[in-house]
Amino acid sequence: MSCIVCTNPIKIRAVTPCKHDTCHVCAFRTRALYHKKQCLVCRTENDRVLFADSESQTVAVSDDKYAIDFTSQDAKKQTLDLLLNKCPRCSTVFTTFKQLSEHVRTQHDRVFCNICANQKNQFVCELKLYNSRQLHQHQVKGDQNGFKGHPQCRFCTGKRFYSDDELFVHMRDKHEKCHICDQIDATKPQYFRNYDHLASHFHEAHYVCNVQSCLDQKFVVFRDELDLRAHQIKEHGSILGGDRKLPAFGGKLTIEKKKPDEPKDSYETKKLRLDERARHYLNYDQAKVDEFQKLVGEFGKNGNERAVLAKLRQLFVESSAEDLGLLLLELKELFPKNSSPHKFLETELKSHNREKLLDQQFPALSTAPASRPVGPWGQNQPTTGLRKAPPPKSKPVVNRGTSSNVRLTYLNNSQPKPQAPALDDQLFPKLPSVQKPKPPRVNPVNTSIGQWGQGLQERREESDFEIRKGKKGKQVLFRMGVNRN
């Protein structure tokens, strides 16, 4: 006969007043570990239960702590031994489960899963032993059908739980949940490590009331802009300038979010930046650097800005205009905006930038002297007798009168262009012409009459070649020493 709950063979039968029999392990687990007295089949409350290892139901011994009657002393011993901390390998009994865990780790190189031991209501003899690799596989992926491992908290490093229910309780108590996202889609809850991370999510994804009292209260956030507007009209009507009416449907709500102020550099940071730039421009000359720092300290005292600025220009005379402009810009940042030195330097920078722009748009013309003509042997030639450049053409004059008989002179392009006068041959002689030598023939032509002195003159008079016209054009065929007569 097998147990209706665990399907294991029944060795000791648990008999209840409701006549539903199970094995002693399942019945004792309900009373000892779950602390319940219900029937495992019909959920009926039973004050006492009988554990029988035979067909007889005569009570031989009882246990008042768990309200169990036994038909034999052996049945009682086997039942109560389920509570002992006994080693599964060597059957050594220990007082506590901690001592047993240390024993199996040091003596047998095995470990229990502490999550299962603490959360799963099982007897010690039912717990499994694992090595390190098997334990990792058990906790991460699982080792049974339907068991996918113990879930882990993504915020607490290395912390796992028995099931999703325990993980949910942990996330609810130790971390923060976005209630707006839960209203939008309850199947995908959004959790965050703490309220600071949740507040960042509120500002990025939802609509937050930026009034300081609501920020201090926390969780004052809304799903859409209309809800935020209604809240501000109801709770902070003075912020809207007395307009306590919502715009008509279709109107556009414009609520500007206050941007956090950007951090500003301190006076010490600006001063260090200015000193480092000055050292670089002065090639790290300590004497000049000390003079520069002295002039900066005197700048703006008793209205001496212009005099000190002239000394600074003289000190940085070797620097470019761009470098000097950057130096003055950083010097201006040392003074408050409404102070006299700040306004003076701002005016000087505008003038400096205007001069720089004019130099870029209108560069200065070249002042190099005109070159004189050079003769054939390098001597400077007199300018007399040279061809003069033609005079510049006069601009056309447009008659703005109303007469139609006036003809515009600049439209007449039929006049011949003036020809340049001829150059003087004495001043500009022609270069001597160079005749290139002809290369000699490799094999000289033999003009003799031949070895035998006859027949060659007659062959010269004959036609030694003929011209034929084919597909590729004209072809020339030569006869080499063949007489066809």
Side-chain angles (χ1 to χ4, degrees):
M1 184 178 179
S2 61
C3 176
I4 194 174
V5 178
C6 63
T7 69
N8 293 327
I10 296 178
K11 297 180 181 179
I12 300 177
R13 183 164 48 94
V15 182
T16 60
C18 58
K19 304 302 180 181
H20 294 127
D21 298 343
T22 58
C23 68
H24 73 293
V25 178
C26 293
F28 188 61
R29 181 186 296 111
T30 304
R31 291 178 173 265
L33 301 182
Y34 288 96
H35 306 287
K36 295 180 181 181
K37 297 181 179 181
Q38 295 178 351
C39 174
L40 296 177
V41 179
C42 64
R43 301 299 180 184
T44 303
E45 290 287 338
N46 299 314
D47 293 336
R48 301 189 71 84
V49 65
L50 176 65
F51 283 8
D53 57 352
S54 62
E55 296 296 332
S56 176
Q57 296 185 4
T58 304
V59 177
V61 64
S62 299
D63 187 283
D64 295 335
K65 181 179 179 180
Y66 300 106
I68 302 175
D69 298 328
F70 301 95
T71 59
S72 65
Q73 186 67 30
D74 184 64
K76 180 179 179 181
K77 183 179 182 304
Q78 292 185 29
T79 302
L80 297 181
D81 284 350
L82 295 174
L83 300 176
L84 298 177
N85 296 311
K86 184 185 293 187
C87 176
R89 293 293 182 91
C90 60
S91 300
T92 306
V93 179
F94 296 89
T95 307
T96 61
F97 180 76
K98 184 177 180 181
Q99 295 175 353
L100 175 61
S101 299
E102 184 68 19
H103 166 75
V104 296
R105 186 182 64 83
T106 56
Q107 299 297 326
H108 307 293
D109 194 19
R110 292 292 185 271
V111 291
F112 290 106
C113 177
N114 293 327
I115 301 175
C116 295
N118 296 329
Q119 299 292 332
K120 195 174 182 180
N121 290 321
Q122 284 184 326
F123 298 111
V124 175
C125 60
E126 296 177 325
L127 296 176
K128 292 183 178 180
L129 288 175
Y130 304 95
N131 55 29
S132 299
R133 184 182 62 83
Q134 292 173 348
L135 179 64
H136 181 268
Q137 178 75 14
H138 164 76
Q139 292 184 350
V140 175
K141 297 182 180 181
D143 52 4
Q144 295 177 357
N145 294 332
F147 177 67
K148 298 181 180 179
H150 299 297
Q152 182 181 8
C153 177
R154 60 183 178 181
F155 304 119
C156 303
T157 305
K159 193 173 184 61
R160 293 184 177 274
F161 300 88
Y162 181 71
S163 64
D164 293 335
D165 295 337
E166 287 76 14
L167 176 62
F168 172 77
V169 174
H170 167 78
M171 299 293 286
R172 182 191 62 190
D173 297 341
K174 301 298 181 180
H175 303 291
E176 300 293 343
K177 178 182 179 181
C178 178
H179 61 283
I180 301 296
C181 293
D182 193 51
Q183 294 175 5
I184 298 174
D185 188 0
T187 60
K188 298 179 181 178
Q190 299 289 332
Y191 289 95
F192 299 89
R193 182 185 297 274
N194 49 37
Y195 184 78
D196 294 337
H197 292 76
L198 180 60
S200 301
H201 167 73
F202 283 159
H203 285 279
E204 294 175 359
H206 306 301
Y207 296 86
V208 182
C209 181
N210 291 318
V211 180
Q212 189 60 41
S213 59
C214 292
L215 293 177
D216 296 338
Q217 187 179 353
K218 296 182 178 181
F219 294 99
V220 184
V221 61
F222 302 91
R223 181 174 178 177
D224 51 33
E225 193 176 6
L226 185 62
D227 293 340
L228 174 61
R229 183 76 173 190
H231 163 78
Q232 289 183 338
I233 291 175
K234 181 180 179 180
E235 303 294 337
H236 318 290
S238 59
I239 297 178
L240 303 178
D243 185 9
R244 303 180 63 87
K245 296 181 180 180
L246 285 172
F249 290 100
K252 184 178 181 181
L253 296 174
T254 55
I255 300 176
E256 296 182 358
K257 296 183 180 180
K258 183 179 179 181
K259 298 181 179 180
D261 296 335
E262 297 181 357
K264 297 181 180 180
D265 295 335
S266 60
Y267 177 84
E268 290 76 10
T269 303
K270 297 177 182 178
K271 186 66 168 57
L272 289 174
R273 187 184 299 118
L274 176 64
D275 293 343
E276 184 61 29
R277 185 179 294 277
R279 288 190 185 94
H280 177 67
Y281 293 162
L282 296 174
N283 296 326
Y284 297 91
D285 189 345
Q286 189 60 36
K288 292 184 179 180
V289 171
D290 295 340
E291 183 180 357
F292 167 75
Q293 293 179 351
K294 180 181 179 181
L295 292 176
V296 171
E298 296 176 356
F299 191 85
K301 294 182 179 179
N302 301 325
N304 62 346
E305 292 89 353
R306 192 170 298 278
V308 175
L309 181 60
K311 295 180 181 179
L312 288 175
R313 291 181 184 274
Q314 184 64 27
L315 183 62
F316 292 91
V317 66
E318 297 181 358
S319 300
S320 62
E322 291 81 1
D323 296 342
L324 184 59
L326 291 175
L327 196 70
L328 296 180
L329 179 62
E330 293 189 355
L331 179 61
K332 182 190 71 171
E333 297 297 329
L334 297 180
F335 303 96
K337 289 186 177 181
N338 296 327
S339 61
S340 176
H342 188 279
K343 294 180 179 178
F344 173 78
L345 288 173
E346 188 173 4
T347 304
E348 289 295 326
L349 281 172
K350 290 181 180 179
S351 176
H352 176 78
N353 294 334
R354 191 182 303 110
E355 293 178 359
K356 178 182 175 183
L357 182 62
L358 290 175
D359 292 340
Q360 292 178 355
Q361 294 180 351
F362 305 99
L365 298 177
S366 176
T367 58
S371 60
R372 299 183 63 185
V374 181
W377 304 105
Q379 300 88 350
N380 292 332
Q381 297 292 332
T383 57
T384 58
L386 296 179
R387 178 170 57 89
K388 297 182 179 180
K393 296 181 180 180
S394 61
K395 297 182 179 179
V397 180
V398 180
N399 188 357
R400 301 186 182 275
T402 58
S403 175
S404 61
N405 297 327
V406 179
R407 182 175 179 82
L408 301 179
T409 59
Y410 67 88
L411 296 177
N412 188 8
N413 296 328
S414 62
Q415 297 179 0
K417 296 181 180 179
Q419 297 182 356
L423 298 177
D424 192 355
D425 294 338
Q426 296 180 358
L427 296 177
F428 301 96
K430 295 183 179 180
L431 296 175
S433 59
V434 179
Q435 295 182 356
K436 296 182 180 180
K438 297 181 180 180
R441 294 180 61 88
V442 178
N443 296 324
V445 180
N446 187 6
T447 58
S448 63
I449 60 175
Q451 182 178 4
W452 304 102
Q454 60 182 359
L456 293 179
Q457 188 66 22
E458 296 177 357
R459 293 194 188 96
R460 288 198 191 106
E461 294 178 359
E462 296 178 359
S463 177
D464 294 337
F465 62 89
E466 62 178 342
I467 299 175
R468 294 182 181 179
K469 193 171 184 181
K471 294 182 179 179
K472 297 183 180 180
K474 295 182 179 181
Q475 297 180 355
V476 180
L477 302 179
F478 290 88
R479 302 190 186 97
M480 302 298 295
V482 178
N483 189 2
R484 295 186 179 181
N485 293 332

